[in-house]
PDB file of all heavy atoms in Angstrom:
ATOM      1  N   HIS A  30     134.317  83.165 132.926  1.00  0.00           N
ATOM      2  CA  HIS A  30     135.661  82.958 132.381  1.00  0.00           C
ATOM      3  C   HIS A  30     135.545  81.983 131.216  1.00  0.00           C
ATOM      4  O   HIS A  30     134.740  81.050 131.258  1.00  0.00           O
ATOM      5  CB  HIS A  30     136.565  82.368 133.476  1.00  0.00           C
ATOM      6  CG  HIS A  30     137.911  81.978 132.995  1.00  0.00           C
ATOM      7  ND1 HIS A  30     138.871  82.892 132.623  1.00  0.00           N
ATOM      8  CD2 HIS A  30     138.473  80.756 132.804  1.00  0.00           C
ATOM      9  CE1 HIS A  30     139.969  82.252 132.244  1.00  0.00           C
ATOM     10  NE2 HIS A  30     139.747  80.950 132.336  1.00  0.00           N
ATOM     11  N   ALA A  31     136.338  82.186 130.176  1.00  0.00           N
ATOM     12  CA  ALA A  31     136.358  81.264 129.036  1.00  0.00           C
ATOM     13  C   ALA A  31     137.791  80.868 128.735  1.00  0.00           C
ATOM     14  O   ALA A  31     138.713  81.678 128.862  1.00  0.00           O
ATOM     15  CB  ALA A  31     135.711  81.903 127.815  1.00  0.00           C
ATOM     16  N   ALA A  32     137.969  79.614 128.361  1.00  0.00           N
ATOM     17  CA  ALA A  32     139.288  79.093 128.012  1.00  0.00           C
ATOM     18  C   ALA A  32     139.131  78.117 126.850  1.00  0.00           C
ATOM     19  O   ALA A  32     138.154  77.369 126.792  1.00  0.00           O
ATOM     20  CB  ALA A  32     139.913  78.373 129.204  1.00  0.00           C
ATOM     21  N   ASN A  33     140.083  78.144 125.937  1.00  0.00           N
ATOM     22  CA  ASN A  33     140.085  77.197 124.830  1.00  0.00           C
ATOM     23  C   ASN A  33     140.852  75.949 125.231  1.00  0.00           C
ATOM     24  O   ASN A  33     141.948  76.047 125.791  1.00  0.00           O
ATOM     25  CB  ASN A  33     140.722  77.811 123.590  1.00  0.00           C
ATOM     26  CG  ASN A  33     139.855  78.878 122.975  1.00  0.00           C
ATOM     27  OD1 ASN A  33     138.644  78.885 123.158  1.00  0.00           O
ATOM     28  ND2 ASN A  33     140.457  79.792 122.248  1.00  0.00           N
ATOM     29  N   VAL A  34     140.276  74.787 124.932  1.00  0.00           N
ATOM     30  CA  VAL A  34     140.925  73.512 125.229  1.00  0.00           C
ATOM     31  C   VAL A  34     140.723  72.567 124.039  1.00  0.00           C
ATOM     32  O   VAL A  34     139.708  72.623 123.348  1.00  0.00           O
ATOM     33  CB  VAL A  34     140.370  72.850 126.515  1.00  0.00           C
ATOM     34  CG1 VAL A  34     140.648  73.713 127.744  1.00  0.00           C
ATOM     35  CG2 VAL A  34     138.876  72.576 126.416  1.00  0.00           C
ATOM     36  N   PHE A  35     141.716  71.722 123.787  1.00  0.00           N
ATOM     37  CA  PHE A  35     141.554  70.640 122.823  1.00  0.00           C
ATOM     38  C   PHE A  35     140.629  69.612 123.448  1.00  0.00           C
ATOM     39  O   PHE A  35     140.690  69.368 124.653  1.00  0.00           O
ATOM     40  CB  PHE A  35     142.900  69.966 122.526  1.00  0.00           C
ATOM     41  CG  PHE A  35     143.775  70.768 121.613  1.00  0.00           C
ATOM     42  CD1 PHE A  35     144.899  71.415 122.097  1.00  0.00           C
ATOM     43  CD2 PHE A  35     143.489  70.856 120.261  1.00  0.00           C
ATOM     44  CE1 PHE A  35     145.724  72.137 121.248  1.00  0.00           C
ATOM     45  CE2 PHE A  35     144.295  71.575 119.403  1.00  0.00           C
ATOM     46  CZ  PHE A  35     145.418  72.225 119.898  1.00  0.00           C
ATOM     47  N   TYR A  36     139.781  68.975 122.656  1.00  0.00           N
ATOM     48  CA  TYR A  36     138.843  67.999 123.186  1.00  0.00           C
ATOM     49  C   TYR A  36     138.843  66.748 122.328  1.00  0.00           C
ATOM     50  O   TYR A  36     139.272  66.744 121.174  1.00  0.00           O
ATOM     51  CB  TYR A  36     137.421  68.574 123.254  1.00  0.00           C
ATOM     52  CG  TYR A  36     136.820  68.818 121.882  1.00  0.00           C
ATOM     53  CD1 TYR A  36     136.131  67.800 121.206  1.00  0.00           C
ATOM     54  CD2 TYR A  36     136.973  70.034 121.237  1.00  0.00           C
ATOM     55  CE1 TYR A  36     135.612  68.003 119.941  1.00  0.00           C
ATOM     56  CE2 TYR A  36     136.459  70.242 119.976  1.00  0.00           C
ATOM     57  CZ  TYR A  36     135.783  69.229 119.330  1.00  0.00           C
ATOM     58  OH  TYR A  36     135.282  69.432 118.069  1.00  0.00           O
ATOM     59  N   ALA A  37     138.332  65.704 122.910  1.00  0.00           N
ATOM     60  CA  ALA A  37     138.016  64.474 122.185  1.00  0.00           C
ATOM     61  C   ALA A  37     136.596  64.103 122.579  1.00  0.00           C
ATOM     62  O   ALA A  37     136.116  64.470 123.654  1.00  0.00           O
ATOM     63  CB  ALA A  37     138.988  63.358 122.540  1.00  0.00           C
ATOM     64  N   ARG A  38     135.944  63.382 121.702  1.00  0.00           N
ATOM     65  CA  ARG A  38     134.540  63.038 121.918  1.00  0.00           C
ATOM     66  C   ARG A  38     134.410  61.606 122.407  1.00  0.00           C
ATOM     67  O   ARG A  38     135.079  60.707 121.943  1.00  0.00           O
ATOM     68  CB  ARG A  38     133.803  63.213 120.581  1.00  0.00           C
ATOM     69  CG  ARG A  38     132.329  63.021 120.623  1.00  0.00           C
ATOM     70  CD  ARG A  38     131.727  63.193 119.245  1.00  0.00           C
ATOM     71  NE  ARG A  38     132.279  62.258 118.273  1.00  0.00           N
ATOM     72  CZ  ARG A  38     131.986  60.960 118.210  1.00  0.00           C
ATOM     73  NH1 ARG A  38     131.130  60.429 119.067  1.00  0.00           N
ATOM     74  NH2 ARG A  38     132.536  60.186 117.298  1.00  0.00           N
ATOM     75  N   ASP A  39     133.525  61.409 123.396  1.00  0.00           N
ATOM     76  CA  ASP A  39     133.147  60.082 123.878  1.00  0.00           C
ATOM     77  C   ASP A  39     131.620  60.052 123.840  1.00  0.00           C
ATOM     78  O   ASP A  39     130.961  60.526 124.757  1.00  0.00           O
ATOM     79  CB  ASP A  39     133.676  59.857 125.294  1.00  0.00           C
ATOM     80  CG  ASP A  39     133.340  58.479 125.843  1.00  0.00           C
ATOM     81  OD1 ASP A  39     133.008  57.580 125.039  1.00  0.00           O
ATOM     82  OD2 ASP A  39     133.402  58.304 127.077  1.00  0.00           O
ATOM     83  N   GLY A  40     131.074  59.528 122.748  1.00  0.00           N
ATOM     84  CA  GLY A  40     129.648  59.693 122.513  1.00  0.00           C
ATOM     85  C   GLY A  40     129.412  61.157 122.227  1.00  0.00           C
ATOM     86  O   GLY A  40     130.065  61.742 121.369  1.00  0.00           O
ATOM     87  N   LEU A  41     128.512  61.789 122.971  1.00  0.00           N
ATOM     88  CA  LEU A  41     128.323  63.236 122.844  1.00  0.00           C
ATOM     89  C   LEU A  41     129.042  63.998 123.960  1.00  0.00           C
ATOM     90  O   LEU A  41     129.057  65.228 123.956  1.00  0.00           O
ATOM     91  CB  LEU A  41     126.833  63.585 122.835  1.00  0.00           C
ATOM     92  CG  LEU A  41     126.097  63.194 121.556  1.00  0.00           C
ATOM     93  CD1 LEU A  41     124.585  63.381 121.720  1.00  0.00           C
ATOM     94  CD2 LEU A  41     126.601  63.984 120.361  1.00  0.00           C
ATOM     95  N   ALA A  42     129.636  63.287 124.894  1.00  0.00           N
ATOM     96  CA  ALA A  42     130.419  63.929 125.954  1.00  0.00           C
ATOM     97  C   ALA A  42     131.772  64.354 125.390  1.00  0.00           C
ATOM     98  O   ALA A  42     132.292  63.737 124.462  1.00  0.00           O
ATOM     99  CB  ALA A  42     130.616  62.972 127.126  1.00  0.00           C
ATOM    100  N   LEU A  43     132.336  65.416 125.968  1.00  0.00           N
ATOM    101  CA  LEU A  43     133.635  65.903 125.530  1.00  0.00           C
ATOM    102  C   LEU A  43     134.642  65.760 126.666  1.00  0.00           C
ATOM    103  O   LEU A  43     134.339  66.030 127.827  1.00  0.00           O
ATOM    104  CB  LEU A  43     133.525  67.362 125.086  1.00  0.00           C
ATOM    105  CG  LEU A  43     132.563  67.606 123.924  1.00  0.00           C
ATOM    106  CD1 LEU A  43     132.499  69.083 123.571  1.00  0.00           C
ATOM    107  CD2 LEU A  43     132.950  66.783 122.714  1.00  0.00           C
ATOM    108  N   LEU A  44     135.840  65.341 126.295  1.00  0.00           N
ATOM    109  CA  LEU A  44     136.927  65.111 127.245  1.00  0.00           C
ATOM    110  C   LEU A  44     138.067  66.082 126.948  1.00  0.00           C
ATOM    111  O   LEU A  44     138.294  66.423 125.786  1.00  0.00           O
ATOM    112  CB  LEU A  44     137.461  63.683 127.092  1.00  0.00           C
ATOM    113  CG  LEU A  44     136.441  62.557 127.149  1.00  0.00           C
ATOM    114  CD1 LEU A  44     137.079  61.256 126.686  1.00  0.00           C
ATOM    115  CD2 LEU A  44     135.885  62.427 128.548  1.00  0.00           C
ATOM    116  N   TRP A  45     138.779  66.481 127.984  1.00  0.00           N
ATOM    117  CA  TRP A  45     139.983  67.276 127.794  1.00  0.00           C
ATOM    118  C   TRP A  45     140.909  67.066 128.969  1.00  0.00           C
ATOM    119  O   TRP A  45     140.536  66.515 130.000  1.00  0.00           O
ATOM    120  CB  TRP A  45     139.667  68.758 127.579  1.00  0.00           C
ATOM    121  CG  TRP A  45     139.187  69.491 128.793  1.00  0.00           C
ATOM    122  CD1 TRP A  45     139.932  70.235 129.664  1.00  0.00           C
ATOM    123  CD2 TRP A  45     137.830  69.573 129.275  1.00  0.00           C
ATOM    124  NE1 TRP A  45     139.125  70.762 130.649  1.00  0.00           N
ATOM    125  CE2 TRP A  45     137.842  70.373 130.428  1.00  0.00           C
ATOM    126  CE3 TRP A  45     136.617  69.039 128.833  1.00  0.00           C
ATOM    127  CZ2 TRP A  45     136.691  70.653 131.145  1.00  0.00           C
ATOM    128  CZ3 TRP A  45     135.464  69.316 129.553  1.00  0.00           C
ATOM    129  CH2 TRP A  45     135.506  70.117 130.692  1.00  0.00           C
ATOM    130  N   VAL A  46     142.142  67.492 128.783  1.00  0.00           N
ATOM    131  CA  VAL A  46     143.154  67.399 129.824  1.00  0.00           C
ATOM    132  C   VAL A  46     143.605  68.817 130.147  1.00  0.00           C
ATOM    133  O   VAL A  46     143.705  69.665 129.251  1.00  0.00           O
ATOM    134  CB  VAL A  46     144.336  66.491 129.377  1.00  0.00           C
ATOM    135  CG1 VAL A  46     145.045  67.062 128.173  1.00  0.00           C
ATOM    136  CG2 VAL A  46     145.309  66.251 130.510  1.00  0.00           C
ATOM    137  N   SER A  47     143.817  69.087 131.432  1.00  0.00           N
ATOM    138  CA  SER A  47     144.204  70.430 131.845  1.00  0.00           C
ATOM    139  C   SER A  47     144.903  70.370 133.191  1.00  0.00           C
ATOM    140  O   SER A  47     144.692  69.431 133.970  1.00  0.00           O
ATOM    141  CB  SER A  47     142.951  71.314 131.950  1.00  0.00           C
ATOM    142  OG  SER A  47     143.298  72.659 132.132  1.00  0.00           O
ATOM    143  N   ASP A  48     145.679  71.369 133.466  1.00  0.00           N
ATOM    144  CA  ASP A  48     146.290  71.516 134.790  1.00  0.00           C
ATOM    145  C   ASP A  48     145.169  71.785 135.787  1.00  0.00           C
ATOM    146  O   ASP A  48     144.291  72.614 135.539  1.00  0.00           O
ATOM    147  CB  ASP A  48     147.278  72.689 134.750  1.00  0.00           C
ATOM    148  CG  ASP A  48     148.029  72.866 136.044  1.00  0.00           C
ATOM    149  OD1 ASP A  48     147.417  72.814 137.134  1.00  0.00           O
ATOM    150  OD2 ASP A  48     149.246  73.078 135.979  1.00  0.00           O
ATOM    151  N   CYS A  49     145.181  71.097 136.894  1.00  0.00           N
ATOM    152  CA  CYS A  49     144.087  71.243 137.868  1.00  0.00           C
ATOM    153  C   CYS A  49     144.107  72.579 138.595  1.00  0.00           C
ATOM    154  O   CYS A  49     143.163  72.895 139.319  1.00  0.00           O
ATOM    155  CB  CYS A  49     144.092  70.078 138.853  1.00  0.00           C
ATOM    156  SG  CYS A  49     145.559  69.972 139.859  1.00  0.00           S
ATOM    157  N   THR A  50     145.162  73.391 138.399  1.00  0.00           N
ATOM    158  CA  THR A  50     145.217  74.689 139.066  1.00  0.00           C
ATOM    159  C   THR A  50     144.759  75.833 138.168  1.00  0.00           C
ATOM    160  O   THR A  50     144.721  76.979 138.623  1.00  0.00           O
ATOM    161  CB  THR A  50     146.642  74.984 139.581  1.00  0.00           C
ATOM    162  OG1 THR A  50     147.531  75.092 138.466  1.00  0.00           O
ATOM    163  CG2 THR A  50     147.122  73.908 140.535  1.00  0.00           C
ATOM    164  N   THR A  51     144.393  75.557 136.923  1.00  0.00           N
ATOM    165  CA  THR A  51     143.920  76.625 136.049  1.00  0.00           C
ATOM    166  C   THR A  51     142.589  77.160 136.573  1.00  0.00           C
ATOM    167  O   THR A  51     141.871  76.486 137.311  1.00  0.00           O
ATOM    168  CB  THR A  51     143.722  76.128 134.603  1.00  0.00           C
ATOM    169  OG1 THR A  51     142.734  75.096 134.608  1.00  0.00           O
ATOM    170  CG2 THR A  51     145.034  75.634 133.999  1.00  0.00           C
ATOM    171  N   ARG A  52     142.271  78.361 136.164  1.00  0.00           N
ATOM    172  CA  ARG A  52     141.027  78.982 136.635  1.00  0.00           C
ATOM    173  C   ARG A  52     139.812  78.140 136.249  1.00  0.00           C
ATOM    174  O   ARG A  52     138.938  77.892 137.090  1.00  0.00           O
ATOM    175  CB  ARG A  52     140.905  80.404 136.084  1.00  0.00           C
ATOM    176  CG  ARG A  52     139.646  81.093 136.544  1.00  0.00           C
ATOM    177  CD  ARG A  52     139.630  82.540 136.145  1.00  0.00           C
ATOM    178  NE  ARG A  52     138.301  83.102 136.393  1.00  0.00           N
ATOM    179  CZ  ARG A  52     137.957  84.328 136.083  1.00  0.00           C
ATOM    180  NH1 ARG A  52     138.827  85.143 135.525  1.00  0.00           N
ATOM    181  NH2 ARG A  52     136.735  84.756 136.333  1.00  0.00           N
ATOM    182  N   HIS A  53     139.751  77.682 135.007  1.00  0.00           N
ATOM    183  CA  HIS A  53     138.569  76.910 134.600  1.00  0.00           C
ATOM    184  C   HIS A  53     138.473  75.601 135.369  1.00  0.00           C
ATOM    185  O   HIS A  53     137.380  75.176 135.719  1.00  0.00           O
ATOM    186  CB  HIS A  53     138.530  76.685 133.086  1.00  0.00           C
ATOM    187  CG  HIS A  53     139.691  75.985 132.505  1.00  0.00           C
ATOM    188  ND1 HIS A  53     140.842  76.648 132.107  1.00  0.00           N
ATOM    189  CD2 HIS A  53     139.910  74.683 132.234  1.00  0.00           C
ATOM    190  CE1 HIS A  53     141.703  75.780 131.625  1.00  0.00           C
ATOM    191  NE2 HIS A  53     141.174  74.580 131.694  1.00  0.00           N
ATOM    192  N   SER A  54     139.601  74.987 135.674  1.00  0.00           N
ATOM    193  CA  SER A  54     139.580  73.732 136.438  1.00  0.00           C
ATOM    194  C   SER A  54     139.109  73.962 137.872  1.00  0.00           C
ATOM    195  O   SER A  54     138.276  73.207 138.386  1.00  0.00           O
ATOM    196  CB  SER A  54     140.968  73.090 136.445  1.00  0.00           C
ATOM    197  OG  SER A  54     141.345  72.696 135.145  1.00  0.00           O
ATOM    198  N   THR A  55     139.621  74.989 138.516  1.00  0.00           N
ATOM    199  CA  THR A  55     139.223  75.233 139.908  1.00  0.00           C
ATOM    200  C   THR A  55     137.770  75.689 139.997  1.00  0.00           C
ATOM    201  O   THR A  55     137.069  75.335 140.949  1.00  0.00           O
ATOM    202  CB  THR A  55     140.150  76.258 140.598  1.00  0.00           C
ATOM    203  OG1 THR A  55     140.143  77.488 139.860  1.00  0.00           O
ATOM    204  CG2 THR A  55     141.582  75.740 140.672  1.00  0.00           C
ATOM    205  N   GLU A  56     137.305  76.426 138.999  1.00  0.00           N
ATOM    206  CA  GLU A  56     135.911  76.874 139.049  1.00  0.00           C
ATOM    207  C   GLU A  56     134.933  75.713 138.881  1.00  0.00           C
ATOM    208  O   GLU A  56     133.821  75.765 139.416  1.00  0.00           O
ATOM    209  CB  GLU A  56     135.662  77.959 137.989  1.00  0.00           C
ATOM    210  CG  GLU A  56     136.302  79.266 138.394  1.00  0.00           C
ATOM    211  CD  GLU A  56     136.106  80.401 137.426  1.00  0.00           C
ATOM    212  OE1 GLU A  56     135.691  80.159 136.267  1.00  0.00           O
ATOM    213  OE2 GLU A  56     136.358  81.556 137.841  1.00  0.00           O
ATOM    214  N   LEU A  57     135.330  74.683 138.177  1.00  0.00           N
ATOM    215  CA  LEU A  57     134.458  73.507 138.026  1.00  0.00           C
ATOM    216  C   LEU A  57     134.190  72.827 139.357  1.00  0.00           C
ATOM    217  O   LEU A  57     133.131  72.233 139.549  1.00  0.00           O
ATOM    218  CB  LEU A  57     135.089  72.488 137.073  1.00  0.00           C
ATOM    219  CG  LEU A  57     135.156  72.881 135.610  1.00  0.00           C
ATOM    220  CD1 LEU A  57     135.889  71.818 134.814  1.00  0.00           C
ATOM    221  CD2 LEU A  57     133.772  73.115 135.069  1.00  0.00           C
ATOM    222  N   GLU A  58     135.144  72.887 140.253  1.00  0.00           N
ATOM    223  CA  GLU A  58     134.953  72.276 141.568  1.00  0.00           C
ATOM    224  C   GLU A  58     133.834  72.968 142.336  1.00  0.00           C
ATOM    225  O   GLU A  58     133.095  72.333 143.067  1.00  0.00           O
ATOM    226  CB  GLU A  58     136.261  72.328 142.373  1.00  0.00           C
ATOM    227  CG  GLU A  58     137.359  71.431 141.824  1.00  0.00           C
ATOM    228  CD  GLU A  58     137.004  69.953 141.870  1.00  0.00           C
ATOM    229  OE1 GLU A  58     136.443  69.483 142.887  1.00  0.00           O
ATOM    230  OE2 GLU A  58     137.286  69.265 140.871  1.00  0.00           O
ATOM    231  N   GLY A  59     133.712  74.287 142.161  1.00  0.00           N
ATOM    232  CA  GLY A  59     132.679  75.037 142.874  1.00  0.00           C
ATOM    233  C   GLY A  59     131.336  75.038 142.172  1.00  0.00           C
ATOM    234  O   GLY A  59     130.291  75.097 142.816  1.00  0.00           O
TER     235      GLY A  59
END
Side-chain angles (χ1 to χ4, degrees):
H30 174 70
N33 289 336
V34 297
F35 283 107
Y36 68 87
R38 185 181 59 75
D39 181 18
L41 288 171
L43 300 179
L44 308 168
W45 72 95
V46 63
S47 190
D48 184 315
C49 63
T50 64
T51 61
R52 180 172 170 183
H53 58 273
S54 295
T55 58
E56 287 181 346
L57 290 176
E58 291 297 318

